[in-house]
Amino acid sequence: MANALLLTVLVDQHWFGLVLVGSQVALVCSVLALLVIWWFEWRNGRVW
Amino acid sequence: MPADAAPFLAPGIAWALVVLFSVLWIALGIVWGRRGKGDADDYMLAGRNIGLALSTATLMASWVTGNTTLLAPEFGYRTGLWGMFSYALAGLGLILFAPLAVRIKQLMPHGRTSGDFIRLRYGRLAWWVFMVITAVYTLGFLMTQAMGAGLLLQALSGFDYHVGMVVVIGVATVYTLFGGMRAVIGTDFIQSLLIMVLLAVVAVLAFRQFPMPEVHARLISAHPDRLDLLLPAGLLIAWNSALFSMGEVFHNNIWWSRVFASRRSVVMTSFVLGGLAWMSVPLVTGSIGLVALARDLPLEQVNMVFPVMAADLLGAGGAALVFVVVFASLTSTLDSLLASTADLLAEDVYFRLLRPQASDAQLKQAARQMVVGLSVLTLALSWPRLDSLASVLFFTGALVASTVWPVACGLYWSSANRWAAIVAMAAGSAVGLSAYVLIAPYCAAVFSAAVSAVVMVVGSRWQPEGFDFNRLQEGV
């Protein structure tokens, strides 16, 4: 039991929130980045 | 969920969504397929000049499978944070392939398939071993997506298993057949945006209803192991996930065809961006699994945790969002698999092996026939309902991980020996499969890659080959 507790690192609320919010922000940023890149390439005729 | 349980979405709404998106994908596929010169290169590789936006989106969409939207929440539910992290580490396959992609484009500017590379680099016998591995993997992958389509559409909307499967495969086949790689890549762009936007909406709405501090507090009190960063099983699964994904990406023609189809200047960036963007998907869907765990939601089948949560928190609207995400995920993966595998068979088997004198038009026609043939074969193999889709896919991890080192060494190391490559793939597969049976499924890829690496390095040091890389350019 003592060994099991020694080998346990629980994520606290701060880091838990950071992981979850960070992943959602990354998802939204990916969408925006794709749209911006597509827009620039479309203006320059470089999509295909 | 049992087959007779109530669906999350009314069948009428589900059919309306299926018709709407099917018509959209097919119409766009046909329109995009009319662009370009209309030769075999255009059909198989979209003209070899696609830009960063489409290249990144097609990598991302092809890598988001039905599993990413349903298995990742299950991983989060069962294993907690490490379940999410380990699934997300599969994105490493794309990121680590980025420098190799640049090297491939440099060495084989006119290449068409991964089979081209293995045949020219290591000879015909190595090509046969490689083709057996890629055939087993691709058929397993196609079957899991087809069966997943039948099972998911049945669970989400009450469709008959066979009807759901035929609809998804049929739609992907029609636009791939008429539009080729242009249709696949163009629809992938829209599908990837759709998947990411809808997932973000579901996640934000879910956490508004059930805030993060509350989720954390419930997990700490009832399931602290799910928040443990040193969970031994989690660490092992993470290693296996990373190596499995490397095997999948390094050998499969889905990713090689994207390298050949992309403009040289965007290859590196698109693989890195595609991998990073993809990683956020299993993290977000996995976090939905954590919410379900914190709420102690009763689940009859754990792999349905994502639709159950969406329907529970967001009602019929949530179920409709999940339905669209799943439909887009399945079609975007199936179209890529059909197109790139058809290209592999047309180029490597029909053209290089059976009819080297075939004209450009005949090669294009062969690729189209392969698309239809693969669809029919997939439907036939998936018609009987099999259980345990994940085990089918895990099984192939032992095989594909054995190709990582032969591919990587073959691209950079002139001493890499063809016999070492053959033995590395065969021995790695054999040891990986033994580990799968004797130890645990999630050890298979680790053992396979380790044995393959040792054989490749020792064999090539013992008898260096001295390969001239110019032969790769001259041979295609």
Side-chain angles (χ1 to χ4, degrees):
Chain A
M1 182 65 186
N3 282 343
L5 285 174
L6 278 176
L7 292 172
T8 298
V9 176
L10 296 181
V11 174
D12 65 17
Q13 191 179 310
H14 171 73
W15 286 104
F16 182 75
L18 209 62
V19 169
L20 268 49
V21 172
S23 61
Q24 290 170 20
V25 169
L27 197 62
V28 173
C29 286
S30 302
V31 174
L32 295 176
L34 271 182
L35 287 172
V36 168
I37 295 166
W38 177 84
W39 187 68
F40 273 108
E41 289 187 332
W42 179 72
R43 280 184 57 187
N44 296 316
R46 305 273 287 167
V47 172
W48 291 98
Chain B
M1 168 184 282
D4 56 350
F8 300 104
L9 191 63
I13 299 174
W15 270 116
L17 290 171
V18 164
V19 170
L20 173 72
F21 285 102
S22 301
V23 169
L24 181 67
W25 302 152
I26 291 171
L28 288 173
I30 291 172
V31 170
W32 281 323
R34 287 182 180 160
R35 298 172 68 106
K37 291 182 284 186
D39 58 10
D41 248 13
D42 216 280
Y43 185 78
M44 295 163 77
L45 297 167
R48 296 181 183 268
N49 196 40
I50 64 168
L52 183 58
L54 294 190
S55 183
T56 305
T58 190
L59 293 170
M60 197 260 165
S62 302
W63 210 212
V64 174
T65 66
N67 289 338
T68 319
T69 47
L70 294 162
L71 202 58
E74 182 185 338
F75 269 41
Y77 186 88
R78 284 188 192 278
T79 327
L81 281 177
W82 262 116
M84 293 160 51
F85 293 152
S86 59
Y87 208 106
L89 279 176
L92 274 182
L94 289 177
I95 295 169
L96 294 175
F97 192 63
L100 277 72
V102 176
R103 179 79 173 157
I104 292 165
K105 199 75 178 166
Q106 178 196 349
L107 292 176
M108 303 175 69
H110 307 295
R112 281 196 180 122
T113 65
S114 52
D116 272 342
F117 167 73
I118 295 291
R119 179 175 49 79
L120 293 167
R121 180 66 182 84
Y122 293 127
R124 189 59 86 181
L125 183 58
W127 178 84
W128 276 110
V129 176
F130 178 82
M131 288 298 276
V132 169
I133 288 173
T134 205
V136 172
Y137 169 78
T138 304
L139 277 179
F141 200 177
L142 275 167
M143 282 173 67
T144 56
Q145 296 308 299
M147 289 191 281
L151 293 170
L152 289 171
L153 266 55
Q154 182 178 51
L156 290 172
S157 52
F159 284 14
D160 176 70
Y161 167 77
H162 297 110
V163 171
M165 195 169 68
V166 170
V167 164
V168 173
I169 294 185
V171 170
T173 303
V174 169
Y175 70 76
T176 306
L177 175 67
F178 288 107
M181 191 59 84
R182 276 186 196 277
V184 171
I185 290 174
T187 50
D188 276 357
F189 181 72
I190 300 174
Q191 286 157 348
S192 65
L193 290 176
L194 203 58
I195 291 166
M196 289 191 286
V197 168
L198 296 184
L199 280 180
V201 169
V202 171
V204 168
L205 290 177
F207 281 103
R208 274 181 66 137
Q209 296 231 2
F210 208 66
M212 285 175 200
E214 204 174 328
V215 174
H216 183 264
R218 295 252 188 123
L219 290 176
I220 281 283
S221 63
H223 307 281
D225 56 315
R226 306 300 208 284
L227 299 176
D228 184 5
L229 282 181
L230 295 181
L231 191 71
L235 293 166
L236 263 176
I237 294 171
W239 267 102
N240 190 70
S241 179
L243 283 167
F244 188 0
S245 74
M246 282 171 68
E248 286 180 292
V249 175
F250 281 35
H251 96 282
N252 199 272
N253 199 49
I254 289 183
W255 318 105
W256 284 69
S257 65
R258 298 314 193 271
V259 175
F260 296 127
S262 300
R263 201 177 300 140
R264 188 169 170 176
S265 58
V266 308
V267 166
M268 178 89 171
T269 319
S270 64
F271 271 87
V272 173
L273 279 182
L276 289 174
W278 182 87
M279 281 175 151
S280 61
V281 173
L283 287 176
V284 168
T285 54
S287 68
I288 302 290
L290 288 180
V291 179
L293 189 65
R295 295 188 68 191
D296 276 331
L297 209 64
L299 292 170
E300 291 182 56
Q301 203 169 320
V302 184
N303 61 9
M304 284 291 135
V305 60
F306 186 47
V308 168
M309 271 301 299
D312 189 58
L313 288 171
L314 311 171
L321 292 181
V322 172
F323 186 88
V324 175
V325 168
V326 169
F327 190 67
S329 307
L330 289 166
T331 46
S332 66
T333 303
L334 273 166
D335 64 6
S336 296
L337 267 169
L338 288 174
S340 57
T341 311
D343 293 352
L344 184 72
L345 292 172
E347 164 77 8
D348 281 66
V349 179
Y350 171 78
F351 184 51
R352 300 285 174 188
L353 191 66
L354 301 176
R355 291 199 61 184
Q357 75 282 12
S359 66
D360 189 81
Q362 286 173 320
L363 177 61
K364 180 180 172 183
Q365 189 58 23
R368 299 179 79 150
Q369 288 168 353
M370 297 295 178
V371 170
V372 178
L374 277 169
S375 301
V376 173
L377 180 65
T378 305
L379 277 175
L381 291 173
S382 312
W383 203 256
R385 267 179 78 152
L386 301 175
D387 291 328
S388 189
L389 301 184
S391 61
V392 174
L393 207 56
F394 267 132
F395 184 79
T396 61
L399 304 181
V400 296
S402 74
T403 63
V404 169
W405 297 106
V407 168
C409 292
L411 280 169
Y412 287 100
W413 194 20
S414 62
S415 300
N417 177 311
R418 63 186 57 207
W419 286 105
I422 293 166
V423 177
M425 288 190 278
S429 298
V431 173
L433 288 174
S434 305
Y436 177 93
V437 175
L438 299 173
I439 304 172
Y442 53 77
C443 293
V446 178
F447 277 85
S448 173
V451 169
S452 168
V454 171
V455 172
M456 197 67 217
V457 171
V458 172
S460 300
R461 286 266 180 215
W462 183 41
Q463 284 199 328
E465 183 154 312
F467 183 78
D468 176 11
F469 284 111
N470 288 324
R471 284 168 58 190
L472 291 175
Q473 191 160 350
E474 291 158 6
V476 283

